[in-house]
Amino acid sequence: MVTGLGATTPLGGDVASTWAALLAGRSGIGPIEEEWAADLPVRIAGRLQVEPAEVLGRVKARRLDRCQQIALIAAHEAWADAGTPETEPERLAVVIGTGVGGVLSTLAQNDVLEASGARKVSPYTVPMLMPNGPAAVVSIEFGARGGAHTPVSACASGAEAIAMGLDLIRLGRADVVIAGGAEACVHPLTLAGFAQARALSTRNDAPQEASRPFDTARDGFVLGEGAALVVLERADFAAARGARVHATLAGAGITSDAHHITGGHTDGQVRALRMALVSAGLDALDVEHVHAHATSTPAGDLTEACSIAEAIGTHPAVTATKSMTGHLCGAAGSLGAISAILAIRDGVIPATRNLDDLDPEVKLDIVTGRPRRGRLTTALTNSFGFGGHNASLVFTSAP
């Protein structure tokens, strides 16, 4: 059972504000105005709407990398939303994925080393840069002794974390799991690297129109930052304490392409989609809504569209919220999961922004213009990452 939701994103500092912005079709993408971006080929990004230090306080924030800060913020919201479940510490686990972990701390402290020498490097450097940092700080904060895990599978990390949370509960290793993803890597190096790979949109003059999933004029994704976490509970545990349930995590599928370091493949994606349905005990015709990975790259969007059509069909209503948030990389899959959960709970699917001219090769029912309302019982989310990582999750309405 999904009993808690927490997030901080380019659209808002919590789930409610992020969800309201998604339904309103607002964009969280804007220009990077710092001097360090002046000479970069890409000068736009999805930055956090609320700075972490405003929530955590500056003293606590300075000892944590930015991705650890936002993971902690999202975890507190999710835990409170779940009603602060009381469980044995050994039955509480944490799974928080990330794409690159504390890269901002790594690069910042390397600058300190080169400019001022070893004695000026922060003693918190290693705890801040390690990819397992977000899972570690959240497990310490909540006293979770049932395991603190960190899937690092590029842009599939957040979804893989939720899938691992499902496994932990099904295997009997945990009653409650805090799961999801966190990413904060808006930096000259990451922007330059993605730009050199021609993965980013170069619409510097129109940032809010830059992310265009499935549109014929799409030219790359927009880098974003944020964290999104859920609280998962064993069904009978949640029922015994009278927990409010947002939705049910019914199944998950994880595969790898073994194909190309940056390019996805329909075979691996189709297998992940079908595996998720088998895990959930559902058929393709049961799926009413798909939250697409759809980053806005020319090749990636088309590959996914073909995969959805082959594995599920063209009947589900499809949305792509990266058109508003940008690509949160390691947190993208978990934010997509929250969108799908809320779509089921509230009976409304956010519309895809900036889709003015649907690619004629995309044979899907894409929600555009305004949110689509109606009762939903089953939704599926996709997350695909560099390295050929594929993760699909299936959510159903609360019992």
Side-chain angles (χ1 to χ4, degrees), residues 329-366:
C329 299
S334 49
L335 184 58
I338 288 178
S339 177
I341 290 163
L342 293 175
I344 292 173
R345 189 195 71 182
D346 297 348
V348 56
I349 301 170
T352 303
R353 183 184 167 98
N354 300 326
L355 183 46
D356 300 324
D357 185 16
L358 180 65
D359 186 329
E361 295 188 65
V362 175
K363 311 296 184 182
L364 300 174
D365 177 17
I366 312 294

Side-chain angles (χ1 to χ4, degrees), residues 50 68 78 101 110 144 152 166 183 190 239 245 266 325 360 388:
V50 177
Q68 297 171 1
N110 185 65
V152 179
L166 175 65
E183 199 80 272
T190 51
V245 177
T266 54
T325 63

